[in-house]
């Protein structure tokens, strides 16, 4: 195998470079380019952060099983088991990509991680779902200034489409297709679609006072731009700035608007929009295959936690007795 792939600056982890304009890439350059493009930049950033933490602690690459196991043991109290599992996966990826013997496959590392999970537990903190009633309460508190117009459209489209934050902020004006029933949003790429096959999400005309299509139309009228991203920063004076809203801004917008409506924002994040649609739809009796068609979940297994949460009080055993 080429030294290009084996060296410590392997393209799975290195920072991205644009392919040169002009002659096509050849040989090792082409291999490096396409291996790098097999991962999203967010994934590469996560790999770099994980390896930086490992090496800052004192780990080296290639690493021995004893070193990885000791790293896990020393961080068992400070890091969640899910974080440690991801760090092990990253270290494993770095060794596989470079053709080094993989210490993470050894029983010493696997047993250490199993022991940590057994002692600490593996329950994950879940973002609170933003249920329909709370969404409406929050939207009722908004005004008609430019930032409110943006936030109303952002929250309603994010909720109605079951979008991830990165998908929502990545939408471009050219991704909007108006149809008689509402709008079709063309999702060019997502976390689970790294090859860019794309997916269409239908946003129907609303039957309530909070129509997502009307909210989007109101924001686009205020935006008054022919191209670029749909959702952009708005300063405190109502001026539209920049070209794209950062994905982490969705969480900030949601928490600020929840607080403004008198709802405690702790536990909510950008994922609450996606979780809220799934939970609310299941509570309303929407079939899971229809929910998956909207959210892009691969299977009902991925929806299980929403199904469980939505049905906690349906036919509740205690409710029949007390």
């Amino acid at each position: 195998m080429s030294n290009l792939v084996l060296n410590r600056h392997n393209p799975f982890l290195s920072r991205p470079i644009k392919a040169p304009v002009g002659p096509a890439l050849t040989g090792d350059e082409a291999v490096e380019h396409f291996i790098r493009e097999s991962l999203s930049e967010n994934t590469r950033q996560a790999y770099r952060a994980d390896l930086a933490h490992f090496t800052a602690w004192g780990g080296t690459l290639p690493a021995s099983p004893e070193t990885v196991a000791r790293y896990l043991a020393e961080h068992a109290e400070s890091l969640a088991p899910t974080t440690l599992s991801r760090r092990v996966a990253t270290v494993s990826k770095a060794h596989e990509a470079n053709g080094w013997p993989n210490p993470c496959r050894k029983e010493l590392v696997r047993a250490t991680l199993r022991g940590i999970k057994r002692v600490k537990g593996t329950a994950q903190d879940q973002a609170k779902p933003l249920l329909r009633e709370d969404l409406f309460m929050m939207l009722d508190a908004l005004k008609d200034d430019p930032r409110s117009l943006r936030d109303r459209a952002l929250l309603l489209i994010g909720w109605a489409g079951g979008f991830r934050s990165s998908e929502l902020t990545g939408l471009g004006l050219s991704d909007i297709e108006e149809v008689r029933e509402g709008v079709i949003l063309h999702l060019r790429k997502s976390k689970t679609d790294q090859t860019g096959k794309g997916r269409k999400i239908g946003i129907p005309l609303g039957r309530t006072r909070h129509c997502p299509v009307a909210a989007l139309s109101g924001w686009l009228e205020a935006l008054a731009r022919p191209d670029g991203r749909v959702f952009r920063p708005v300063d405190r004076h109502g001026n539209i700035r920049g070209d794209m809203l950062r994905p982490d801004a969705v969480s900030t917008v949601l928490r600020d608007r929840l607080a403004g409506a008198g709802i405690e924002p702790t536990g909510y994040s950008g994922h609450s929009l996606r979780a809220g649609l799934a939970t609310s739809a299941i509570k309303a009796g929407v079939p899971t295959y229809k929910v998956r068609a909207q959210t892009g979940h691969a299977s009902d297994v991925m929806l299980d936690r929403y199904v469980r949460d939505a049905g906690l009080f349906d036919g509740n055993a205690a409710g029949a007795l007390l």
Side-chain angles (χ1 to χ4, degrees):
M1 186 179 292
S2 165
N3 287 333
L4 177 70
V5 180
L6 297 178
N7 69 29
R8 68 181 55 200
H9 301 296
N10 77 76
F12 279 111
L13 307 174
S14 60
R15 295 187 179 277
I17 56 172
K18 292 183 178 180
V21 177
L25 295 173
T26 58
D28 285 345
E29 276 188 335
V31 173
E32 179 178 6
H33 173 68
F34 289 120
I35 291 178
R36 181 184 298 108
E37 291 305 314
S38 71
L39 300 171
S40 71
E41 176 55 18
N42 285 341
T43 301
R44 288 194 296 266
Q45 287 178 356
Y47 284 169
R48 287 195 292 269
D50 287 344
L51 286 183
H53 190 272
F54 178 70
T55 55
W57 166 79
T60 58
L61 296 177
S64 67
E66 293 76 14
T67 298
V68 178
R70 191 166 60 252
Y71 169 80
L72 292 172
E74 291 188 13
H75 291 89
E77 292 300 321
S78 59
L79 297 177
T82 51
T83 301
L84 292 175
S85 294
R86 194 191 71 231
R87 296 269 164 83
V88 169
T90 297
V91 171
S92 176
K93 187 78 169 180
H95 284 76
E96 295 289 348
N98 283 285
W100 297 323
N102 191 341
C104 303
R105 294 182 179 273
K106 299 298 183 181
E107 182 59 21
L108 175 63
V109 175
R110 291 179 171 181
T112 302
L113 189 56
R114 284 199 304 270
I116 292 171
K117 288 180 178 179
R118 183 166 183 171
V119 171
K120 301 280 289 182
T122 57
Q124 292 183 321
D125 290 332
Q126 301 285 347
K128 285 184 180 180
L130 180 68
L131 300 181
R132 178 179 181 269
E133 296 76 12
D134 291 332
L135 171 68
F136 281 17
M137 187 183 302
M138 181 175 58
L139 294 172
D140 285 338
L142 295 181
K143 301 178 181 178
D144 292 320
D145 57 280
R147 185 179 285 184
S148 292
L149 289 174
R150 183 205 62 188
D151 291 355
R152 181 178 287 107
L154 178 80
L155 296 169
L156 270 170
I157 293 296
W159 197 90
F163 285 112
R164 298 178 178 88
S165 295
S166 59
E167 296 169 348
L168 184 58
T169 57
L171 286 173
L173 292 169
S174 61
D175 297 328
I176 302 172
E177 177 186 352
E178 296 184 12
V179 293
R180 179 177 299 175
E181 299 89 344
V183 295
I184 296 174
L185 299 178
H186 294 261
L187 189 60
R188 308 296 179 184
K189 187 179 288 190
S190 69
K191 177 182 177 181
T192 55
D193 177 26
Q194 296 297 325
T195 58
K197 290 190 297 183
R199 189 165 65 88
K200 296 179 181 180
I201 298 97
I203 306 295
L205 291 167
R207 296 177 296 173
T208 70
R209 64 186 181 278
H210 294 301
C211 170
V213 177
L216 179 61
S217 178
W219 164 242
L220 294 181
E221 186 176 338
L223 186 61
R225 296 191 184 185
D227 53 24
R229 303 293 186 184
V230 174
F231 298 111
R232 310 182 190 207
V234 179
D235 65 24
R236 59 192 180 92
H237 302 295
N239 299 310
I240 299 171
R241 304 288 190 186
D243 297 322
M244 177 181 175
L245 199 66
R246 290 171 52 90
D248 55 10
V250 177
S251 294
T252 302
V253 168
L254 175 58
R255 293 187 189 116
D256 286 348
R257 294 308 186 179
L258 283 167
I263 301 172
E264 171 55 50
T266 303
Y268 290 94
S269 71
H271 192 75
S272 296
L273 300 176
R274 180 174 170 83
L277 172 74
T279 304
S280 297
I282 291 167
K283 282 173 69 70
V286 177
T288 54
Y289 77 92
K290 282 292 188 181
V291 178
R292 287 195 286 109
Q294 193 74 349
T295 62
H297 283 97
S299 68
D300 281 356
V301 173
M302 303 301 293
L303 287 177
D304 275 352
R305 65 181 182 273
Y306 304 125
V307 173
R308 289 195 301 271
D309 289 349
L312 283 175
F313 295 96
D314 293 339
N316 186 286
L321 303 171
L322 299 175

